Amino acid sequence: MTVTKMSWRPTYRSSKFRNVYGKVANREHCFDGVPITKNVHDNHFCAVNSKFLAVITESAGGGSFIVIPVSQSGRLDSHYPKVCGHHGNVLDIKWNPFFENIIASCSEDSSVRVWEIPEGGLRRNMTEAVLELYGHSRRVGLIEWHPTSSGILFSAGYDYKILIWNLEIGEPVKMIDCHTDVILSMSFNTDGSLLTTSCKDKKLRVIEPRSGRVLQQASCKNHRVNRVVFLGNMKRLLTTGVSRWNTRQIALWDQEDLSMPIAEEDIDGLSGLLFPFYDADTHMLYLAGKGDGNIRYFEITTEKPYIEYLMEFRSPAPQKGLGVMPKHGLDVGACEVYRFYKLVTLRGLIEPISMIVPRRSDTYQEDIYPMTAGTEPALSASEWLSGIDRDPVLMSLKEGYQRPNKLVFKAPVKEKKSVVVNGIDLLENVPPRTENELLRMFFRQQEELRRLKEELTTKDVRIRQLELELNNLKNVSPNNV
């Protein structure tokens, strides 16, 4: 297969998204005074839905994040309540796509937790999670909700394993154990029947998640993959990475043949990680570099040259991470097709950036808002685990979708017991989650060792005494008895 190299020469192909532009929200619609985390982990540190904005914060003694109602912009109070139940830095947060008050978090304390945020947001610090999920033996760096099933959560740890959690029972039900290094990113196809991962071992994989079977694998020597994203149902993957000349690069792949990329494109010579965001409704790809101020956007097509450069949003403020508003939270009246929430660490600021298609008409633009994945799950956790796949339940954005979700998230009542996945008890050796806990465990073990040594010495003395008594009895003549 020949690799297509694309040029930056402008093409005059007709596209309705040719003039899309980025618009930063007014200062009063930004979120100010947010103590954004200084953690250098390569994540977004931010998650958004139509109700809440969640941001991982800088905190002493354990990890925390804040949850702000999207409508409550402005300056944040310095004593604003936090979600602070973790014992180590929080590394990733994701909202459940079907329950807007449910958020999952993972942390350096090797746990995954599921929280239920009350309507209107927090009034006091939240320390009690709805579910505490232990199964990884090292810190957990990534979590992803299944795109069509209501109770399935994926977590990737620094133990190189991906665990699949069934939240209907609150336990891990599968373990994907095919990676040989840290997993950098996970992405699902439209119906969640396939999972693709990028890994520090320089391999790109397409996995059948229920069986853990690797269907396709690429060893990326010339294009070192950092992040991967499924391009909806186009049967294509897009990766961001670094070329052999250390330039930032994107590559397009056929999900059924990863032997060679279909197309590659050098972006620039900067060093920050490139985060890819794909909008399956408009077939637009957004590239945002960590530490950059700009966001480039492209249109993905099925014919050559496959990736059409459209425009670039520029800003002098570097971004730490970006949250993305789901489709049903956008302003369709303003022809908004995408919205980022940009974390500007130095200023403690979160800026909404709207991507807008300029239109003269005030009426609903059917062509830029096709039916889109809604807030209703297509199947339950047990249905998906039994082998059923269904496409997302679609909805129209025409009437400013407000249909309330009748579903209620029910956490299972859990007992303390062993968790066995693939024949391995994951809770047999759950590691200490903080340095203090490690020290406490160390001193406890030292004390236990000292006690056992003393017990052993005492027993040795007693054994010797009994042996002597036994010998004395044997030596006594029968006349003296």
Side-chain angles (χ1 to χ4, degrees):
M1 189 189 292
T2 57
V3 175
T4 305
K5 284 277 183 185
M6 292 162 290
S7 80
W8 286 100
R9 285 198 301 274
T11 53
Y12 297 99
R13 189 181 61 82
S14 172
S15 168
K16 63 185 95 160
F17 303 112
R18 195 174 62 235
N19 297 313
V20 168
Y21 66 95
K23 182 184 177 186
V24 180
N26 296 332
R27 187 73 189 201
E28 62 266 24
H29 292 119
C30 295
F31 300 83
D32 207 352
V34 182
I36 301 164
T37 180
K38 294 183 175 65
N39 196 312
V40 294
H41 194 70
D42 284 331
N43 269 354
H44 296 300
F45 304 111
C46 179
V48 193
N49 65 20
S50 63
K51 284 185 180 180
F52 300 109
L53 164 66
V55 184
I56 298 172
T57 58
E58 195 63 22
S59 65
S64 65
F65 59 96
I66 55 168
V67 176
I68 315 164
V70 167
S71 55
Q72 287 180 21
S73 52
R75 187 154 194 87
L76 203 69
D77 186 273
S78 58
H79 301 294
Y80 198 85
K82 294 181 170 76
V83 180
C84 50
H86 280 287
H87 302 293
N89 289 326
V90 176
L91 298 179
D92 199 10
I93 46 175
K94 294 275 164 57
W95 290 105
N96 187 311
F98 311 112
F99 301 96
E100 299 219 294
N101 292 55
I102 299 293
I103 188 167
S105 61
C106 63
S107 161
E108 288 182 350
D109 67 10
S110 78
S111 76
V112 176
R113 300 188 188 208
V114 179
W115 312 84
E116 185 165 12
I117 307 300
E119 283 298 327
L122 300 179
R123 286 166 187 80
R124 62 185 66 83
N125 282 357
M126 180 179 273
T127 55
E128 289 297 314
V130 176
L131 280 173
E132 289 184 23
L133 307 171
Y134 291 100
H136 288 283
S137 60
R138 294 184 68 190
R139 60 183 169 160
V140 189
L142 285 173
I143 42 174
E144 287 291 342
W145 292 95
H146 191 272
T148 59
S149 172
S150 55
I152 296 287
L153 180 67
F154 284 62
S155 63
Y158 276 61
D159 51 7
Y160 314 156
K161 293 173 178 59
I162 295 173
L163 291 182
I164 305 177
W165 302 89
N166 178 357
L167 301 188
E168 289 175 2
I169 59 171
E171 288 179 9
V173 285
K174 300 277 176 188
M175 180 166 69
I176 299 171
D177 191 10
C178 58
H179 299 86
T180 59
D181 210 324
V182 176
I183 298 141
L184 300 173
S185 66
M186 299 188 282
S187 177
F188 291 98
N189 64 345
T190 308
D191 65 2
S193 60
L194 293 175
L195 172 72
T196 180
T197 62
S198 59
C199 182
K200 233 176 177 174
D201 64 10
K202 299 188 176 69
K203 287 190 172 71
L204 176 66
R205 294 171 174 88
V206 175
I207 300 163
E208 202 292 309
R210 280 175 293 232
S211 66
R213 195 160 55 94
V214 179
L215 304 177
Q216 287 287 326
Q217 184 171 290
S219 293
C220 309
K221 292 182 177 68
N222 296 337
H223 168 80
R224 294 200 305 280
V225 171
N226 284 324
R227 292 293 181 273
V228 60
V229 63
F230 254 111
L231 300 182
N233 52 12
M234 291 175 80
K235 299 205 167 184
R236 300 271 165 89
L237 308 173
L238 185 122
T239 58
T240 65
V242 182
S243 74
R244 62 165 71 184
W245 315 115
N246 275 350
T247 56
R248 294 200 292 191
Q249 192 179 53
I250 56 175
L252 190 68
W253 307 76
D254 179 344
Q255 75 177 40
E256 288 166 1
D257 178 13
L258 298 184
S259 56
M260 282 275 282
I262 299 167
E264 288 178 342
E265 177 61 71
D266 288 349
I267 302 298
D268 57 29
L270 299 178
S271 59
L273 178 77
L274 273 179
F275 290 116
F277 301 88
Y278 180 67
D279 180 0
D281 297 342
T282 59
H283 301 298
M284 282 179 70
L285 169 76
Y286 300 87
L287 291 182
K290 188 179 177 182
D292 300 2
N294 57 354
I295 300 170
R296 295 177 176 88
Y297 36 106
F298 305 77
E299 193 171 3
I300 306 289
T301 58
T302 48
E303 292 103 30
K304 284 185 180 180
Y306 305 116
I307 303 170
E308 291 276 358
Y309 173 72
L310 294 172
M311 199 88 74
E312 187 175 346
F313 164 81
R314 294 183 179 220
S315 159
Q319 56 231 4
K320 168 87 172 179
L322 294 157
V324 173
M325 175 64 78
K327 272 290 159 96
H328 61 273
L330 299 179
D331 182 358
V332 294
C335 295
E336 184 184 35
V337 289
Y338 217 69
R339 190 191 305 159
F340 291 104
Y341 284 76
K342 171 178 167 175
L343 272 55
V344 186
T345 316
L346 295 173
R347 286 154 54 193
L349 184 70
I350 300 166
E351 282 182 335
I353 301 167
S354 298
M355 309 309 290
I356 292 168
V357 179
R359 291 280 167 99
R360 287 195 179 91
S361 170
D362 290 337
T363 57
Y364 179 73
Q365 306 294 308
E366 208 97 36
D367 60 327
I368 61 172
Y369 296 115
M371 296 284 280
T372 189
T375 56
E376 197 180 319
L379 66 174
S380 67
S382 46
E383 284 177 317
W384 182 77
L385 288 165
S386 71
I388 302 168
D389 290 316
R390 284 196 200 120
D391 282 331
V393 178
L394 301 180
M395 69 184 197
S396 167
L397 300 177
K398 189 166 187 176
E399 304 304 326
Y401 187 77
Q402 292 297 326
R403 192 172 68 77
N405 195 334
K406 299 285 193 299
L407 292 167
V408 178
F409 183 83
K410 285 182 183 167
V413 177
K414 293 190 71 180
E415 296 171 17
K416 293 281 183 191
K417 57 178 179 180
S418 63
V419 176
V420 179
V421 178
N422 296 10
I424 300 166
D425 187 348
L426 299 175
L427 294 188
E428 192 175 19
N429 289 304
V430 173
R433 297 186 288 277
T434 62
E435 200 173 320
N436 285 340
E437 205 170 314
L438 180 71
L439 284 168
R440 278 202 302 276
M441 189 176 277
F442 172 74
F443 289 127
R444 267 204 310 273
Q445 285 176 342
Q446 291 294 309
E447 185 61 31
E448 181 70 4
L449 279 170
R450 190 188 58 75
R451 191 185 63 75
L452 288 169
K453 278 178 182 173
E454 278 180 5
E455 206 173 297
L456 202 60
T457 309
T458 309
K459 283 181 178 173
D460 278 346
V461 170
R462 182 71 184 134
I463 287 166
R464 281 201 296 275
Q465 282 176 345
L466 289 168
E467 281 174 345
L468 282 168
E469 283 177 25
L470 192 63
N471 283 333
N472 287 340
L473 281 170
K474 281 179 186 173
N475 292 334
V476 171
S477 62
N479 299 332
N480 297 337
V481 173

